[in-house]
Amino acid sequence: MSHSLEPAAAPRPPWWRDRRVMPWLVQAFVGLVILVVIAFLLGNLVRNLTAAGLLLSWRWLGQPAGFDLSESVLPFNAEMPYWRGLLAGLVNTLRAVGFGLVGATLLGTLLGMASFSSNGLLRRLAAVYVEVIRNIPLLLQLVFWYFVVFLSLPNGTEALQFPGVVLAKSGFYGAGFEAGWHWQGPHLVNGVWQAPLRLSVEFTALLTGLVAYTGAFIAEVVRGGIAAVPKGQWEAAASLGLHWATTLRRVVLPQALRVIIPGLNSQYISLAKNSSLAVAVGYTDLYSVAETTLNQTGRAVEVIVLLLGAYLVLDLLISALMNGLNGLVQIRER
Amino acid sequence: MTLSLPQRLKRELAATPLDGAVSAVLIVAITAAAIGFLGWAFGRAQWLVIQANGTLLAVGRYPVEQQWRLWLLVGLLAAATGLGWGLLRGRRWPFNDRLASVLLVALGLWAPAALGLSLPLQVRWWAITALLLGLRWAFGRWGAAGLARLHPRVRRLLPLGFPLLYLIGLWLIAGGLGLGSVAPSEWGGLLLTLLMASLAMLLSFPLGVLLALGRRSELPLLRWGSVLYIEFIRGAPLITLLFLGQNILGFLLPGGLAPDRVWRAAAVLTLFCAAYLAEAVRSGLAAVPRGQVEAARSLGLSVPQTLGAVVLPQALRTALPTMVGQFISLLQDTTLLSLIGLLDLLGMARSVMANPAYLGKNAEVYLTLAVLFWCCCAALGLGSRALERRLDTTRPA
């Protein structure tokens, strides 16, 4: 009597437990649902837009805008076309984001380092700052800076004056080089401040709010990064006779950066997105121009596609830059 | 080694001469700021704007004759809080509980008086505070014994009281089913803020979990669909999405079916929050060791069973801090509703300040709002840390 060496054929599992069948059925079902929903929404969109006479078209972009921007880096006036206005808004957004990134990084790094200070008061102050800022909505902070702080500043001779810098209700004035490379500080001309570097009060309020808010988050990122460096590294550097500052610069920061940069990336992106709150303080950024454009033309779909696309590209740009930077600071292994 | 107070102070404030100098400058600056602020708050500030508009800031233009429904809701919430608190703590009154009770009593006695409410309204707040603390005491003392007498099956149903209470709350606020309906456009202030935040939190949670599972799924269609959705939402500022909700949602639905602006905003907040929650849950899922899934599968658990009984409980516990952080920022993000013309807390505040009688009272109003938001967000953060400790299985109970 010979026993078969092959195991008895197991009974086939029912089809709903078959791992070759089920996944495809699930996907087919989900795909069908998604398709039906999209078809339903798009069908409605086309029908409603046709009824409203607003079928997709980009020709309106070339028509004169008819509105002015209170502030624009790109020269802009009401006779220029809509696309030029949106571009000017984009440039204004980029300006706010650029200044904001630099300011928030500086503030965040200082605060993050302060939380490792040997001074207990400074450490606690940094912690309190972070706790206060993170638990108050950014929009509230922005309107606070604008309406409560900056709009209550005096003008003229009573404005807040620091060496090289003047803060007045009409804006921020900073010293700089004027034509012919001569250094020029803020000065009064007929009761109005003049200076090489002039920022509007709206922009100053937006920038202050964004920097103060994002700085608190960056401080946490920096703190986490420095804390991730083992204590032995500090001790080893100290036993080699390195100064505290040298240790931080040559030993700790290069290691901390590997942890910090991915965290910075997401903070930078959220700063870029948060800059759209500029509309609350009257700074004419991309979102604010888009809103005006939509109200004038009624071209909801086109405006929103442009708006979302612009922010998406901005995010991707920041991500790409930061990923490149991240590649530079990673440990290179053989 | 214990240090005396002067020694400790020296080490903390003046370990080196430079530290000493920094401390001196900081102390002078902090004192000056504190004196300036207190001088303003108790001298020049005019808090009448808050007193006179307390009701507007709290519930917006909710019809006065229907406000008893909101009082009832606050009473129910206080009762549920006292009940749960008592059952959780039992007879013990640890330091935290005593502190919280004192704070509650102080707040219940001081806040209504400070707001200059009429006596009947003040009495209502006293009654609500008394109800909360009374139930805390009563259920702490006898709740456990009463609970033990209940049938286990009934006992397991008890937590369902909270979702039920939420639904009752919605019914009380919106009306219908016998109650006169109050249109969403009449909700406002803190009521609208809390309602929107809680609704979006509750609805976005299941959606976020599904999206996270989809993103980690091996099925390409689910994975790419989830990735596309999550990255699209995360790439756009919330204000543009709210703007989209107000301007395009109407076009996407058959004519006349577009919901009220409040519901549209709630839908956008939910869809927005779900994408961020999905990322939080995904990091939690990634932290569950592969062996857990393999062990569950080899025990013969089906995929849904594995997820529900093994993977998700661990993943959600890991993701809890991030998720609460997300909820906190959602609560803060509700202020953006004021930019699309809804009268949430910030929107209501701005409309109050547009009243010529209160022109220029920005500082008082914004500061009150900031304190309110700070307290809510800090409380959520504290709660999350407490829950984290409670769920921490590595710590001896």
Side-chain angles (χ1 to χ4, degrees):
Chain A
M1 188 166 169
S2 71
H3 284 285
S4 161
L5 286 175
E6 281 142 37
R12 276 180 64 87
W15 62 267
W16 62 87
R17 307 207 52 168
D18 192 331
R19 300 207 66 177
R20 282 163 307 182
V21 178
M22 248 342 245
W24 293 104
L25 281 178
V26 170
Q27 289 201 82
F29 177 72
V30 171
L32 201 66
V33 170
I34 295 178
L35 272 184
V36 167
V37 169
I38 289 181
F40 172 74
L41 295 178
L42 277 185
N44 283 325
L45 185 70
V46 171
R47 203 167 318 123
N48 288 330
L49 286 180
T50 317
L54 284 173
L55 260 187
L56 223 54
S57 134
W58 302 96
R59 216 167 294 148
W60 56 273
L61 274 172
Q63 291 163 5
F67 58 80
D68 248 325
L69 298 183
S70 60
E71 176 176 6
S72 174
V73 182
L74 272 189
F76 181 74
N77 59 48
E79 279 96 63
M80 290 187 174
Y82 280 112
W83 67 264
R84 181 69 192 244
L86 289 166
L87 193 64
L90 179 63
V91 172
N92 280 352
T93 289
L94 289 177
R95 176 170 173 241
V97 172
F99 275 79
L101 286 186
V102 175
T105 310
L106 283 178
L107 178 68
T109 311
L110 286 180
L111 279 171
M113 278 162 42
S115 55
F116 288 92
S117 161
S118 55
N119 186 323
L121 194 60
L122 196 61
R123 266 197 324 262
R124 291 196 180 93
L125 216 57
V128 166
Y129 176 83
V130 170
E131 276 306 302
V132 167
I133 292 286
R134 275 161 47 120
N135 282 330
I136 298 176
L138 172 61
L139 183 58
L140 191 55
Q141 294 186 33
L142 284 177
V143 291
F144 184 87
W145 284 113
Y146 184 57
F147 289 107
V148 177
V149 178
F150 284 102
L151 284 191
S152 62
L153 288 173
N155 262 333
T157 49
E158 285 165 17
L160 288 182
Q161 298 171 39
F162 305 99
V165 172
V166 167
L167 270 174
K169 190 175 184 173
S170 53
F172 171 96
Y173 301 87
F177 286 107
E178 267 189 348
W181 290 107
H182 83 104
W183 186 255
Q184 174 69 56
H187 53 284
L188 274 170
V189 178
N190 298 329
V192 177
W193 285 99
Q194 300 285 340
L197 178 66
R198 184 185 172 269
L199 305 176
S200 75
V201 66
E202 288 80 18
F203 184 71
T204 316
L206 173 71
L207 201 59
T208 314
L210 282 179
V211 166
Y213 185 78
T214 316
F217 285 85
I218 290 182
E220 282 296 279
V221 172
V222 171
R223 198 183 59 82
I226 295 180
V229 176
K231 211 169 167 223
Q233 298 282 329
W234 286 95
E235 290 164 354
S239 71
L240 287 177
L242 291 187
H243 187 255
W244 175 82
T246 319
T247 310
L248 194 65
R249 194 162 54 87
R250 305 301 296 259
V251 179
V252 177
L253 271 186
Q255 301 183 63
L257 275 180
R258 291 182 199 121
V259 183
I260 290 175
I261 286 182
L264 273 188
N265 186 2
S266 66
Q267 290 311 323
Y268 284 174
I269 288 180
S270 72
L271 184 137
K273 290 188 292 181
N274 283 337
S275 72
S276 60
L277 296 183
V279 67
V281 294
Y283 178 68
T284 44
D285 77 324
L286 177 61
Y287 174 76
S288 145
V289 178
E291 200 180 18
T292 317
T293 306
L294 194 155
N295 287 340
Q296 290 203 0
T297 59
R299 295 277 169 191
V301 180
E302 294 91 332
V303 168
I304 284 180
V305 165
L306 286 176
L307 197 55
L308 291 177
Y311 279 107
L312 210 58
V313 169
L314 185 56
D315 293 348
L316 290 178
L317 210 67
I318 293 176
S319 261
L321 279 178
M322 294 305 284
N323 282 338
L325 202 57
N326 199 20
L328 286 183
V329 300
Q330 289 308 318
I331 305 174
R332 274 182 216 90
E333 289 177 26
R334 279 171 298 150
Chain B
M1 187 185 72
T2 53
L3 295 169
S4 68
L5 185 64
Q7 278 174 315
R8 263 214 323 263
L9 274 182
K10 181 169 185 309
R11 202 181 61 178
E12 285 284 295
L13 298 181
T16 64
L18 180 66
D19 273 349
V22 170
S23 295
V25 171
L26 284 178
I27 289 173
V28 169
I30 293 172
T31 319
I35 290 175
F37 175 74
L38 290 177
W40 172 82
F42 291 103
R44 278 165 292 145
Q46 292 169 329
W47 298 102
L48 187 72
V49 55
I50 303 292
Q51 288 186 0
N53 297 296
T55 314
L56 271 182
L57 289 176
V59 299
R61 306 218 160 82
Y62 205 85
V64 179
E65 65 276 14
Q66 297 295 332
Q67 280 175 10
W68 61 268
R69 285 152 49 169
L70 304 179
W71 284 102
L72 182 61
L73 180 59
V74 174
L76 283 176
L77 279 177
T81 311
L83 197 152
W85 191 6
L87 286 181
L88 217 59
R89 283 288 206 248
R91 281 161 190 267
R92 288 170 301 125
W93 285 82
F95 175 72
N96 282 344
D97 287 34
R98 276 177 281 156
L99 185 70
S101 315
V102 170
L103 278 180
L104 273 174
V105 171
L107 204 66
L109 289 179
W110 170 78
L115 282 173
L117 297 180
S118 64
L119 195 63
L121 291 189
Q122 289 202 33
V123 172
R124 281 187 209 179
W125 281 116
W126 299 341
I128 286 169
T129 313
L131 179 71
L132 202 171
L133 290 175
L135 283 176
R136 153 72 177 99
W137 178 78
F139 273 85
R141 199 166 168 79
W142 298 297
L147 213 58
R149 271 202 299 272
L150 282 178
H151 192 278
R153 216 176 271 165
V154 180
R155 206 165 19 176
R156 255 197 298 180
L157 290 180
L158 275 186
L160 283 182
F162 284 96
L164 194 66
L165 185 65
Y166 193 81
L167 291 179
I168 292 176
L170 281 184
W171 171 61
L172 279 174
I173 292 168
L177 300 177
L179 279 175
S181 80
V182 178
S185 52
E186 292 181 88
W187 310 343
L190 188 60
L191 173 72
L192 185 66
T193 292
L194 292 181
L195 198 65
M196 292 300 239
S198 60
L199 210 61
M201 273 177 210
L202 283 177
L203 297 178
S204 64
F205 179 70
L207 203 57
V209 172
L210 283 182
L211 280 169
L213 289 175
R215 187 161 187 174
R216 282 181 59 85
S217 160
E218 286 161 9
L219 311 181
L221 185 65
L222 296 191
R223 189 168 66 239
W224 288 109
S226 307
V227 168
L228 211 64
Y229 176 80
I230 293 172
E231 293 307 328
F232 168 72
I233 296 280
R234 277 163 33 104
L238 175 56
I239 179 69
T240 59
L241 294 174
L242 285 168
F243 192 54
L244 184 150
Q246 298 300 317
N247 291 297
I248 295 199
L249 216 57
F251 286 129
L252 287 176
L253 296 171
L257 266 188
D260 186 86
R261 290 181 32 216
V262 172
W263 295 127
R264 275 188 251 171
V268 171
L269 277 180
T270 305
L271 294 175
F272 176 77
C273 188
Y276 286 82
L277 270 189
E279 285 301 278
V281 175
R282 184 168 73 113
S283 66
L285 286 173
V288 177
R290 255 197 89 75
Q292 297 281 332
V293 181
E294 286 159 3
R297 296 287 295 159
S298 69
L299 284 176
L301 267 62
S302 68
V303 174
Q305 279 172 331
T306 309
L307 281 178
V310 178
V311 176
L312 274 182
Q314 301 183 59
L316 292 182
R317 191 171 57 216
T318 318
L320 184 76
T322 331
M323 287 199 298
V324 176
Q326 199 45 57
F327 286 145
I328 291 176
S329 65
L330 176 68
L331 180 59
Q332 299 188 1
D333 283 339
T334 55
T335 49
L336 266 62
L337 298 179
S338 67
L339 291 183
I340 53 165
L342 296 188
L343 293 175
D344 74 312
L345 196 49
L346 185 58
M348 205 68 230
R350 294 177 83 168
S351 85
V352 161
M353 284 178 300
N355 180 345
Y358 305 113
L359 224 52
K361 297 289 169 288
N362 295 307
E364 289 86 345
V365 175
Y366 286 144
L367 209 63
T368 311
L369 255 56
V371 170
L372 257 176
F373 268 109
W374 192 87
C375 290
C376 290
C377 296
L380 271 176
L382 271 181
S384 121
R385 258 165 272 160
L387 195 59
E388 228 175 293
R389 276 197 301 278
R390 194 170 271 270
L391 293 177
D392 186 1
T393 47
T394 58
R395 200 184 57 125

